[in-house]
Amino acid sequence: MTRFSDFKEEDLEYSLSVSSFAKLCGTTRDTLRYYYEQNILTPRVDPNNGYHYYSASQISSFFFINTMRKAGCSIKEISTTIHNSSKESISKLVNSKILDMQRELFLINKKISSLHLGLWILEKYDGCKPGVPFLDTIPDMSFSSTKVKDKSSSYHAADVAKDISAHLAKASSDSSFAAFPSGVTIDYKDLLKGDYVYNNIITLSFLPADNVDSFPLPSRRVISCYHDHNTSGIDKTYKKMVTFIKRNKLTACSDLFSVSLINIYNKEADHTYFKYLFICVE
């Protein structure tokens, strides 16, 4: 007759079969075998039959390993941490991965914000007539900008291609710059003179301004207008916006923002474009 006292403490502690332990952890036998081979989650091996047994206390170890793997840690990093498990080494590794994930989260949020803003512009366009200015209150937005190096002859996208490239290069970094939706600005003083020359490459964002790479718009109150390839010349739209501001005795407090959402040539070689224009007013 086998009595409780006949079992060693280790036998009692390590009593879960591989299948049972895998089920409790929601994993596979192959994963447990891999962790065993890498010496990061070691079961007790029965010397009589070679069977592997795990302890219930190792469930937390499994989830620590799994969490660190999902955080981007290599098996080597995890092994080093486990076998040199000082508080300092664990804190150093975990903090580095937290920073990596925060950076990844920031970049994801930047992309989500860009898509939300693009959709907001498109959906608002459905209820507006192209080429007709209107007074509007827009959501909180920030903008990033890159100054056009040679403003004297910057009337078309081709004239500012290098500036656009420089601006979008910033968007690929960790800054609050986004790549979309982007466009240009025209100084309001130039707008009044009928000199429609670009002075900045810009990107709008729903993310809060950091006042380093991005800045808040001076006002949420704007004169907006939509312009597409079916509308008469964009210079006429510019003039209508200026006239609207004067007629309603408003004061412009920003440049004219011209944001391009669509600018393509289709298979018939027809130029198709869509722009959202606005000027902040007081």
Side-chain angles (χ1 to χ4, degrees):
M1 178 178 178
T2 303
R3 295 170 300 177
F4 182 83
S5 58
D6 293 333
F7 289 95
K8 297 179 181 178
E9 185 177 345
E10 185 182 62
D11 296 329
L12 296 171
E13 172 69 16
Y14 289 81
S15 58
L16 295 170
S17 68
V18 175
S19 296
S20 297
F21 189 78
K23 186 176 181 180
L24 286 170
C25 294
T27 189
T28 64
R29 295 170 62 95
D30 287 341
T31 297
L32 294 178
R33 183 183 301 111
Y34 177 64
Y35 287 177
Y36 170 54
E37 291 170 351
Q38 298 301 316
N39 196 29
I40 59 175
L41 189 63
T42 306
R44 179 180 74 84
V45 181
D46 189 317
N48 297 316
N49 54 27
Y51 290 169
H52 291 185
Y53 295 92
Y54 288 88
S55 163
S57 63
Q58 287 180 297
I59 294 173
S60 60
S61 297
F62 171 83
F63 282 105
F64 171 78
I65 293 168
N66 231 30
T67 299
M68 296 309 290
R69 288 196 75 189
K70 289 178 180 178
C73 289
S74 66
I75 291 295
K76 183 178 180 181
E77 287 176 312
I78 295 171
S79 179
T80 300
T81 301
I82 288 173
H83 296 295
N84 298 278
S85 54
S86 67
K87 178 183 175 182
E88 291 74 18
S89 64
I90 293 174
S91 295
K92 184 178 180 181
L93 178 61
V94 171
N95 281 324
S96 71
K97 294 308 173 184
I98 288 173
L99 288 174
D100 288 344
M101 288 189 288
Q102 286 176 333
R103 175 181 174 275
E104 184 179 351
L105 179 61
F106 170 78
L107 295 175
I108 290 171
N109 282 334
K110 187 165 73 169
K111 294 174 185 176
I112 291 172
S113 172
S114 295
L115 293 175
H116 273 312
L117 182 49
L119 282 174
W120 176 83
I121 294 173
L122 282 173
E123 289 171 356
K124 201 163 182 66
Y125 172 71
D126 290 339
C128 303
K129 187 176 180 181
V132 178
F134 59 96
L135 183 62
D136 195 17
T137 300
I138 61 176
D140 285 323
M141 292 186 198
S142 61
F143 72 96
S144 306
S145 65
T146 299
K147 193 173 184 63
V148 170
K149 287 187 175 180
D150 183 10
K151 177 184 168 182
S152 61
S153 58
S154 300
Y155 293 95
H156 304 283
D159 302 328
V160 292
K162 290 184 179 180
D163 301 292
I164 293 172
S165 179
H167 180 78
L168 296 182
K170 296 177 186 177
S172 64
S173 68
D174 291 348
S175 74
S176 56
F177 269 65
F180 174 86
S182 60
V184 296
T185 59
I186 297 174
D187 190 301
Y188 189 69
K189 292 179 181 178
D190 290 331
L191 203 66
L192 291 174
K193 294 185 294 185
D195 187 14
Y196 308 130
V197 61
Y198 303 149
N199 62 342
N200 290 292
I201 311 301
I202 58 94
T203 305
L204 297 180
S205 176
F206 275 150
L207 293 178
D210 61 16
N211 292 307
V212 177
D213 295 313
S214 60
F215 301 88
L217 291 172
S219 173
R220 290 179 56 203
R221 198 176 184 213
V222 299
I223 301 304
S224 294
C225 194
Y226 291 90
H227 189 90
D228 62 27
H229 58 286
N230 295 314
T231 315
S232 58
I234 197 166
D235 56 327
K236 294 181 179 179
T237 299
Y238 293 156
K239 291 175 182 177
K240 287 180 183 178
M241 294 181 74
V242 170
T243 299
F244 188 98
I245 290 173
K246 290 179 178 178
R247 183 184 300 133
N248 290 276
K249 298 181 180 180
L250 300 169
T251 301
C253 57
S254 78
D255 294 344
L256 175 135
F257 285 76
S258 175
V259 180
S260 298
L261 286 186
I262 301 172
N263 197 351
I264 60 174
Y265 284 91
N266 61 24
K267 62 183 180 181
E268 285 78 26
D270 295 324
H271 190 197
T272 302
Y273 64 89
F274 171 85
K275 298 180 187 295
Y276 171 55
L277 314 172
F278 70 91
I279 302 169
C280 295
V281 295
E282 298 173 336

